[in-house]
Amino acid sequence: MVSTRLWLGGVVHQKRERALSDELLQLVVRCCHVFAVVLVAVDGWKAYPKAIVKAFRASLPPPSGKRGRPRKIGWPGLMMAQVIKRKAKGRLVEVERRVLRGQLAEMEFQIGASGGGYSINTSYIERLNATFRQKLAVLARRTRKGPTNWSE
């Protein structure tokens, strides 16, 4: 939540893989009210859109006696946006904002109401991630070139 800088939690994996996105989105869903209006803004990683749709589903009313699990439906209040940053020679040259689900006008209204500006962005979580990497050595990216002896 932008106005209070409330951080719900996080997930750490050694590699950025699909399991990471699934686990992270399950954590987010557990913190939400069912069918609440939710805006999720992510970076350009391709695993996020599928993980978001998969996580933000709910079962229909109890089964009617038919075989199989109840059908799941997507949250009607779910909005998804993606921010893709393109760099050339280490410099940011373009920021593309994509609306993946929902209406841009509704997203801008929700962003304004949250106190997080008026456009789709991922800057708050990027700043938090940078702070974690700076303060927690275990999360820092390794920058040394050449072989590393992990047993030392």
Side-chain angles (χ1 to χ4, degrees), residues 35-57:
F35 297 131
V37 173
V38 176
L39 170 58
V40 182
V42 295
D43 63 16
W45 189 31
K46 291 181 181 182
Y48 277 137
K50 286 182 182 177
I52 293 166
V53 171
K54 181 180 173 184
F56 284 90
R57 301 183 302 175

Side-chain angles (χ1 to χ4, degrees), residues 27-126:
L27 175 72
V28 172
V29 167
R30 286 193 302 268
C31 298
C32 295
H33 296 287
V34 176
F35 297 131
V37 173
V38 176
L39 170 58
V40 182
V42 295
D43 63 16
W45 189 31
K46 291 181 181 182
Y48 277 137
K50 286 182 182 177
I52 293 166
V53 171
K54 181 180 173 184
F56 284 90
R57 301 183 302 175
S59 294
L60 287 175
S64 61
K66 296 180 181 177
R67 292 175 49 177
R69 68 171 175 81
R71 193 172 64 105
K72 293 194 172 202
I73 58 168
W75 288 24
L78 176 64
M79 295 178 281
M80 292 190 312
Q82 201 171 37
V83 178
I84 300 170
K85 296 180 180 176
R86 291 189 179 80
K87 295 182 180 183
K89 297 181 182 178
R91 293 194 173 269
L92 184 65
V93 294
E94 181 185 9
V95 177
E96 179 184 355
R97 292 172 173 88
R98 295 180 183 169
V99 174
L100 303 178
R101 187 175 186 158
Q103 300 296 319
L104 180 59
E106 176 66 16
M107 287 182 184
E108 289 172 342
F109 172 79
Q110 294 296 335
I111 293 168
S114 74
Y118 293 97
S119 65
I120 298 165
N121 69 72
T122 56
S123 60
Y124 294 107
I125 193 65
E126 289 173 6

